Amino acid sequence: DLPLTLIAGPCQLESRQHAFDMAGALKELTAELGIGFVYKTSYDKANRTSLGATRGAGLDAALPVFADLRATLGVPVLTDVHTEEQCAVVSEVVDVLQIPAFLCRQTDLLVAAARTGKVVNVKKGQFLAPWDMKNVVAKVTGSGNPNVLVTERGVSFGYNTLVSDMRALPVMAEIGAPVIFDATHSVQQPGGQGGSSGGERRFVETLARAAVAVGVAGVFIETHDDPDNSTSSDGPNMIRLADMRGLLERLMAFDRVAKGADRP
Amino acid sequence: DLPLTLIAGPCQLESRQHAFDMAGALKELTAELGIGFVYKTSYDKANRTSLGATRGAGLDAALPVFADLRATLGVPVLTDVHTEEQCAVVSEVVDVLQIPAFLCRQTDLLVAAARTGKVVNVKKGQFLAPWDMKNVVAKVTGSGNPNVLVTERGVSFGYNTLVSDMRALPVMAEIGAPVIFDATHSVQQPGGQGGSSGGERRFVETLARAAVAVGVAGVFIETHDDPDNSTSSDGPNMIRLADMRGLLERLMAFDRVAKGADRP
Amino acid sequence: DLPLTLIAGPCQLESRQHAFDMAGALKELTAELGIGFVYKTSYDKANRTSLGATRGAGLDAALPVFADLRATLGVPVLTDVHTEEQCAVVSEVVDVLQIPAFLCRQTDLLVAAARTGKVVNVKKGQFLAPWDMKNVVAKVTGSGNPNVLVTERGVSFGYNTLVSDMRALPVMAEIGAPVIFDATHSVQQPGGQGGSSGGERRFVETLARAAVAVGVAGVFIETHDDPDNSTSSDGPNMIRLADMRGLLERLMAFDRVAKGADRP
Amino acid sequence: DLPLTLIAGPCQLESRQHAFDMAGALKELTAELGIGFVYKTSYDKANRTSLGATRGAGLDAALPVFADLRATLGVPVLTDVHTEEQCAVVSEVVDVLQIPAFLCRQTDLLVAAARTGKVVNVKKGQFLAPWDMKNVVAKVTGSGNPNVLVTERGVSFGYNTLVSDMRALPVMAEIGAPVIFDATHSVQQPGGQGGSSGGERRFVETLARAAVAVGVAGVFIETHDDPDNSTSSDGPNMIRLADMRGLLERLMAFDRVAKGADRP
């Protein structure tokens, strides 16, 4: 049971400078706290609620930034892929390909991601039972790639609401893939603001503490220096960068207890 | 309020002969009963539960069959599209492009489908509230294509279960797009058989009657001459072709009452 | 398959005059339309959201009114019971004892109601699967009373929301007890107005049409001459008395189709 | 933020000797570990799934045992009440009156329990949103009794399943009443074994760890020396007495972190 890893970063790649500022600050903080770190950012939000919503920097603008972040700062980078074609291109400049929750059953995408040989992080669909991720993981491992992560990010609970079932964490751990808890999207209120999704930032720590106490390989937390003024879809869910140190210190204290204790 | 339209056919395109037999039988039956008819079939099941599951005939084999069905039998054809690239190609030989439920928020796919000028039928995601389909429809109409259908096919209700909220039908009707009720996938039990999805065929008529009484533009019912021996993912949900006449006669009787009455 | 029965009346007994006015109007209307009729009213709302909410006329004031309604108008009367002690007392002046949904698993209450020999109408709990009503019905029949009705009134779907699963109707019909659909409480939004429950009256007809098309023995619809100015908890859900004729005519048309057709 | 309190004991009062053995063992263990302790047991299971299921010792047999447990062992005792009449009688021999989840909105029962002056522990209904417990608590405090506990025990999630929403804990804490997490009934599968409820004991620790990390005043855990051979409805959910020490040591370690840290 290795200590907790943090997957963090802003929702979207906003600019080269912003990415370097955020990744640098998070690298420094996690190194100081002894937490593994993967920098997360998206070049395209392919499923925004509204047609007119900001989509992100785009693939061509983002790839060189991703490459430079890795080369200059030495941080591993994670980003989403949405089509088979993107997998090979993106895999050249990142360490982890992430499959969005809505796409977690698209066989061709999973196979294309698997074939890059990179780590594949599959988010569990909001419509999927935790035991059904076994079939999803098998699509990746059955394509010759054993490096799969599975991420819990909430399950549909009535309309415009998700609930986090903590039982999903040990159930998915039995599949054999490291389990990540996405505390940001778990507090999302899908479509909850009419033309965009809402969320409740105050519950990010609630759910992250719960998941770490149950026992997870990592947590996924979007963060931003000024979330309420970001153009991201996840503004209402992102943690202020200034609040990350306290949050991580508390999570690490729970992680030490959880990893020292027997697994439930 | 036009009479009910039926979107029907087998889950997958199995062979040219099978397609002609099914489409021919359904065309004859619906003509006799005075029901509008669109032939539905899929060339690829892109999100089967398991990697090893049968995927279907494939695009290249299917396109000429679709073209011939339309030319020979004069029936409109509907099929699923899964990527932007498929939209233009498929649109040349079909009348309706269908967006699968898991993909209903993928902006690029919706825009590509819209730009073909064909009718676009968007299935509501199992994770989506009916009022949130307004944003989905706007992605199509905002791309210059006013010909959108929206389809209810159940919403997540706990694990491995869907429930059909009949209130969704009038809520979606207010968006302005004709509403279809998919009675086949509404009785699906996602992942309910471990390596594949289960379903309860006996409730297809239950839910179809309810939806028609509430008032819909059409119903979507997968049918097969021998569903229990088909290789389709929807074998447990498909209605036997021999049972379609009785089912449609009953639905038409409800439709006449519903269309004569004031809308709820 | 007998024609539809209507269980209807205002949420609460407001006054003797109001009860006679409502029961008289409904008796006349249902007789004209050829619908069976049971007058529903409550003498006590034992589970209002707030402590300060109006509770109703009380048992002592209500019993003589119930007796007079039966004697004078000749209408059967249904009311709720909440404790074992109430069963025997209330049974002397009503025809049907109704077990509230929250109390549907309280064994002593079910047994006490059963032992009165009156018809017992058990509302399915918002937390209960339809197949689990088998055990509830057996508590009544196992106490020597075969006259049980079961009522669907929605199942919990996320917070402050219910959903009506139309599959519940044939599932409960298999238990052997006549099935009633409560269209009023199925559109309730429990606790949805903070200190009281909300509701969406516009969906009463939606859900009632669906249920009648699927096939039920009866529908339960609360009605009031002025629902928006009533003090009842179900004001937002009650149908205006003036709208009942049109609603019932439409439901009867669906019922004739449903009862003429084979059951799903 | 006081250290964790444990409410524990077997589901049912089985015999005087069994009660003394269990209460004695738990008293000793919790004293050693520095955990507050309340002994929980029921004299009557008023809402068993089936009519023929074991109901418990009954009120008359249980009251003297409760009195002796308090007098001899000096442990506070908690038990369920189901009717107004029981409140006064039971309150003479116990310290905490517990309102079952199904009954949490029965105003008369809440008021009668409040008027005893004893601590009242209200279990949140499986059909209730956490913010709606505000009205429930107000029924007790509005009756002059400020000593209210609220207990989370899962919320309906599809059929025969509950889910534990960890966000409910801070939401209910804002009401001002100490929050208890019932780890036993949260893993219940209501009606899940046909004629009785099922459950998954292996998730008791999963959920208890999560709740303690989020921060609660106490945990409720049913335990038995031989749960699989008990006649209780909660056999599948009860923790073996022999496993309690390890479980409590782990929970206390999380509690120390949670209480030292800022509340989420």
Side-chain angles (χ1 to χ4, degrees):
Chain A
D1 278 348
L2 296 169
L4 204 61
T5 286
L6 175 71
I7 302 175
C11 174
Q12 294 188 9
L13 173 61
E14 300 187 0
S15 71
R16 168 180 289 262
Q17 189 57 51
H18 188 254
F20 269 79
D21 290 349
M22 292 295 299
L26 287 165
K27 180 193 173 184
E28 201 172 321
L29 175 61
T30 51
E32 195 185 324
L33 298 176
I35 308 180
F37 174 55
V38 176
Y39 185 68
K40 182 269 163 177
T41 191
S42 295
Y43 56 87
D44 183 22
K45 307 305 292 180
N47 56 26
R48 291 294 299 266
T49 302
S50 300
L51 186 60
T54 311
R55 289 272 305 249
L59 189 60
D60 293 343
L63 294 188
V65 182
F66 291 173
D68 290 356
L69 282 169
R70 292 168 87 205
T72 311
L73 295 177
V75 295
V77 171
L78 169 151
T79 200
D80 297 296
V81 286
H82 316 88
T83 66
E84 296 164 64
E85 293 71 27
Q86 291 173 357
C87 292
V89 181
V90 168
S91 73
E92 295 188 14
V93 295
V94 303
D95 303 86
V96 186
L97 296 178
Q98 180 167 281
I99 307 295
F102 290 152
L103 304 182
C104 76
R105 283 189 49 163
Q106 302 303 313
T107 306
D108 292 335
L109 179 60
L110 289 162
V111 170
R115 289 192 178 149
T116 65
K118 295 286 177 175
V119 176
V120 179
N121 180 28
V122 191
K123 294 203 166 184
K124 180 165 75 65
Q126 298 88 335
F127 45 80
L128 212 66
W131 42 84
D132 290 331
M133 283 297 281
K134 187 179 56 186
N135 297 305
V136 169
V137 168
K139 289 182 182 180
V140 180
T141 57
S143 301
N145 187 340
N147 302 310
V148 196
L149 310 174
V150 292
T151 296
E152 170 63 35
R153 47 92 77 236
V155 59
S156 288
F157 179 65
Y159 292 131
N160 300 312
T161 313
L162 301 171
V163 68
S164 298
D165 182 355
M166 294 296 156
R167 297 170 299 190
L169 304 175
V171 168
M172 292 201 295
E174 288 169 11
I175 299 171
V179 176
I180 309 295
F181 182 74
D182 175 349
T184 299
H185 295 93
S186 293
V187 304
Q188 200 179 39
Q189 295 169 322
Q193 300 187 336
S196 65
S197 290
E200 294 192 88
R201 184 184 300 146
R202 66 180 181 133
F203 293 130
V204 169
E205 177 161 348
T206 301
L207 296 182
R209 285 164 77 138
V212 169
V214 170
V216 288
V219 289
F220 177 113
I221 300 174
E222 291 189 352
T223 179
H224 193 279
D225 49 329
D226 188 10
D228 294 323
N229 294 307
S230 92
T231 56
S232 297
S233 51
D234 287 307
N237 309 337
M238 283 195 284
I239 292 289
R240 282 173 214 88
L241 184 57
D243 294 334
M244 284 294 279
R245 174 183 294 270
L247 172 57
L248 291 175
E249 285 173 347
R250 290 188 291 275
L251 295 182
M252 285 304 280
F254 286 112
D255 189 59
R256 282 188 292 271
V257 176
K259 300 285 167 67
D262 297 334
R263 270 294 175 79
Chain B
D1 277 348
L2 297 169
L4 203 61
T5 286
L6 174 71
I7 303 175
C11 175
Q12 295 187 7
L13 174 60
E14 300 186 1
S15 72
R16 168 181 289 262
Q17 189 58 50
H18 188 254
F20 269 79
D21 290 348
M22 292 295 298
L26 288 164
K27 179 192 173 185
E28 201 172 320
L29 175 61
T30 51
E32 195 185 323
L33 298 175
I35 308 179
F37 174 54
V38 176
Y39 185 68
K40 181 267 164 180
T41 191
S42 296
Y43 55 85
D44 182 22
K45 306 305 292 182
N47 56 25
R48 292 293 300 265
T49 302
S50 302
L51 186 58
T54 311
R55 292 271 305 250
L59 189 61
D60 293 343
L63 295 188
V65 181
F66 292 173
D68 289 357
L69 282 168
R70 291 168 89 205
T72 311
L73 296 177
V75 294
V77 171
L78 170 150
T79 200
D80 298 296
V81 286
H82 315 89
T83 67
E84 296 165 65
E85 293 73 25
Q86 291 172 358
C87 292
V89 181
V90 168
S91 72
E92 296 187 15
V93 294
V94 303
D95 304 85
V96 186
L97 295 177
Q98 181 168 281
I99 309 293
F102 291 152
L103 305 181
C104 76
R105 284 190 46 166
Q106 303 303 313
T107 306
D108 293 334
L109 178 61
L110 289 162
V111 171
R115 289 192 178 149
T116 65
K118 294 286 176 175
V119 176
V120 180
N121 180 27
V122 191
K123 293 203 166 182
K124 181 165 75 64
Q126 299 88 335
F127 44 82
L128 212 67
W131 42 84
D132 290 330
M133 283 298 280
K134 187 180 54 187
N135 297 305
V136 169
V137 168
K139 288 182 183 181
V140 179
T141 56
S143 301
N145 186 340
N147 302 310
V148 197
L149 310 174
V150 292
T151 296
E152 168 64 36
R153 47 92 77 236
V155 60
S156 287
F157 179 64
Y159 292 133
N160 299 312
T161 312
L162 302 170
V163 69
S164 298
D165 182 355
M166 293 297 156
R167 297 171 299 191
L169 304 175
V171 169
M172 293 201 296
E174 288 170 9
I175 299 171
V179 176
I180 310 294
F181 182 74
D182 175 350
T184 299
H185 295 94
S186 293
V187 304
Q188 201 179 38
Q189 295 169 322
Q193 300 187 336
S196 66
S197 290
E200 295 192 88
R201 183 184 301 146
R202 67 179 180 132
F203 294 129
V204 168
E205 177 161 348
T206 302
L207 297 181
R209 285 163 76 140
V212 169
V214 171
V216 288
V219 290
F220 176 113
I221 299 175
E222 289 188 354
T223 179
H224 193 279
D225 48 330
D226 188 9
D228 294 323
N229 294 306
S230 92
T231 56
S232 297
S233 52
D234 287 308
N237 309 339
M238 284 195 284
I239 292 288
R240 281 174 215 87
L241 183 58
D243 294 333
M244 284 294 279
R245 174 183 294 268
L247 171 57
L248 291 174
E249 285 173 347
R250 290 187 292 273
L251 295 181
M252 285 304 280
F254 287 111
D255 189 58
R256 281 187 294 270
V257 176
K259 301 284 167 67
D262 296 335
R263 268 294 174 78
Chain C
D1 277 350
L2 297 169
L4 204 60
T5 286
L6 175 70
I7 302 175
C11 174
Q12 296 187 7
L13 173 60
E14 301 187 0
S15 71
R16 168 180 289 262
Q17 188 59 49
H18 188 254
F20 269 79
D21 290 349
M22 293 294 299
L26 288 165
K27 179 192 173 185
E28 201 172 321
L29 175 61
T30 52
E32 195 185 322
L33 298 176
I35 308 179
F37 174 54
V38 176
Y39 185 67
K40 182 268 162 179
T41 191
S42 296
Y43 56 85
D44 183 23
K45 306 305 292 181
N47 56 25
R48 290 294 301 265
T49 302
S50 302
L51 186 59
T54 311
R55 290 273 304 252
L59 189 60
D60 293 343
L63 294 187
V65 181
F66 292 173
D68 290 356
L69 283 168
R70 292 168 89 205
T72 311
L73 296 177
V75 295
V77 171
L78 170 150
T79 200
D80 299 295
V81 286
H82 315 91
T83 66
E84 296 164 66
E85 293 72 27
Q86 291 173 357
C87 292
V89 181
V90 168
S91 72
E92 295 188 16
V93 295
V94 304
D95 304 85
V96 186
L97 296 178
Q98 181 167 281
I99 308 294
F102 291 153
L103 304 182
C104 76
R105 284 189 47 165
Q106 303 303 312
T107 305
D108 292 335
L109 179 60
L110 289 162
V111 171
R115 289 191 179 150
T116 65
K118 295 285 176 174
V119 176
V120 179
N121 179 27
V122 191
K123 293 203 166 182
K124 180 165 74 66
Q126 299 87 335
F127 45 81
L128 212 67
W131 41 85
D132 291 330
M133 283 298 280
K134 187 180 55 187
N135 297 304
V136 170
V137 168
K139 289 182 183 180
V140 179
T141 56
S143 302
N145 186 339
N147 301 310
V148 197
L149 310 174
V150 291
T151 295
E152 170 63 35
R153 48 91 79 237
V155 60
S156 287
F157 179 64
Y159 291 132
N160 300 313
T161 313
L162 301 170
V163 68
S164 297
D165 182 356
M166 294 296 157
R167 297 171 300 190
L169 304 175
V171 168
M172 292 201 295
E174 287 169 10
I175 299 172
V179 176
I180 309 296
F181 182 74
D182 174 350
T184 299
H185 294 93
S186 293
V187 305
Q188 200 180 40
Q189 295 169 323
Q193 299 187 336
S196 66
S197 291
E200 294 191 89
R201 181 184 302 145
R202 66 180 181 132
F203 294 130
V204 168
E205 177 161 348
T206 301
L207 297 182
R209 285 164 76 139
V212 169
V214 171
V216 288
V219 290
F220 177 114
I221 299 175
E222 290 188 353
T223 180
H224 194 280
D225 48 330
D226 188 9
D228 294 324
N229 294 307
S230 92
T231 56
S232 298
S233 52
D234 286 307
N237 309 337
M238 284 194 285
I239 292 289
R240 281 173 216 90
L241 183 59
D243 294 333
M244 284 294 279
R245 173 182 295 270
L247 172 56
L248 291 175
E249 285 173 347
R250 292 187 289 275
L251 295 182
M252 285 304 280
F254 287 111
D255 188 59
R256 282 187 292 271
V257 176
K259 301 284 168 68
D262 297 334
R263 269 292 175 79
Chain D
D1 277 348
L2 296 169
L4 202 61
T5 287
L6 175 71
I7 303 175
C11 175
Q12 295 188 8
L13 174 60
E14 300 186 1
S15 70
R16 168 179 288 263
Q17 188 57 50
H18 188 254
F20 269 79
D21 290 349
M22 293 294 300
L26 287 164
K27 180 193 173 185
E28 201 173 321
L29 176 61
T30 51
E32 196 185 323
L33 298 175
I35 308 179
F37 173 55
V38 176
Y39 185 68
K40 181 269 163 179
T41 191
S42 296
Y43 57 84
D44 183 22
K45 308 304 292 180
N47 56 25
R48 292 292 302 264
T49 303
S50 301
L51 186 58
T54 311
R55 291 270 308 247
L59 189 60
D60 293 342
L63 294 188
V65 182
F66 292 174
D68 291 356
L69 283 169
R70 292 168 87 206
T72 311
L73 296 177
V75 295
V77 171
L78 169 151
T79 200
D80 299 295
V81 286
H82 315 89
T83 67
E84 296 165 64
E85 293 73 25
Q86 292 173 357
C87 292
V89 181
V90 168
S91 72
E92 296 188 15
V93 294
V94 303
D95 303 87
V96 186
L97 295 178
Q98 181 168 281
I99 307 294
F102 289 153
L103 304 182
C104 76
R105 284 189 48 164
Q106 302 303 313
T107 306
D108 292 334
L109 178 61
L110 289 162
V111 171
R115 289 191 177 150
T116 65
K118 295 285 177 174
V119 176
V120 179
N121 180 27
V122 191
K123 293 203 167 184
K124 180 165 76 64
Q126 299 87 336
F127 44 81
L128 212 67
W131 42 84
D132 290 331
M133 283 298 280
K134 187 180 55 186
N135 297 305
V136 169
V137 168
K139 289 182 183 180
V140 180
T141 57
S143 302
N145 186 339
N147 302 309
V148 196
L149 310 174
V150 293
T151 295
E152 169 64 35
R153 49 92 77 233
V155 60
S156 287
F157 179 65
Y159 292 132
N160 300 313
T161 312
L162 301 170
V163 69
S164 298
D165 183 354
M166 294 296 156
R167 296 170 301 190
L169 304 175
V171 169
M172 292 202 295
E174 288 169 11
I175 300 171
V179 176
I180 310 295
F181 182 75
D182 175 349
T184 300
H185 295 93
S186 293
V187 304
Q188 200 179 39
Q189 294 169 322
Q193 300 187 337
S196 66
S197 289
E200 295 192 87
R201 183 183 301 146
R202 66 179 181 133
F203 293 130
V204 168
E205 177 161 348
T206 302
L207 297 181
R209 285 163 76 139
V212 170
V214 171
V216 287
V219 289
F220 177 113
I221 300 175
E222 290 188 353
T223 180
H224 194 280
D225 48 329
D226 187 10
D228 293 324
N229 294 306
S230 90
T231 55
S232 297
S233 51
D234 286 307
N237 308 338
M238 284 195 284
I239 293 288
R240 281 173 215 90
L241 183 60
D243 294 335
M244 284 294 280
R245 175 182 293 270
L247 172 57
L248 290 175
E249 284 173 348
R250 292 187 290 275
L251 294 182
M252 285 305 280
F254 286 112
D255 188 59
R256 282 187 292 271
V257 176
K259 301 284 167 68
D262 298 334
R263 269 295 175 79

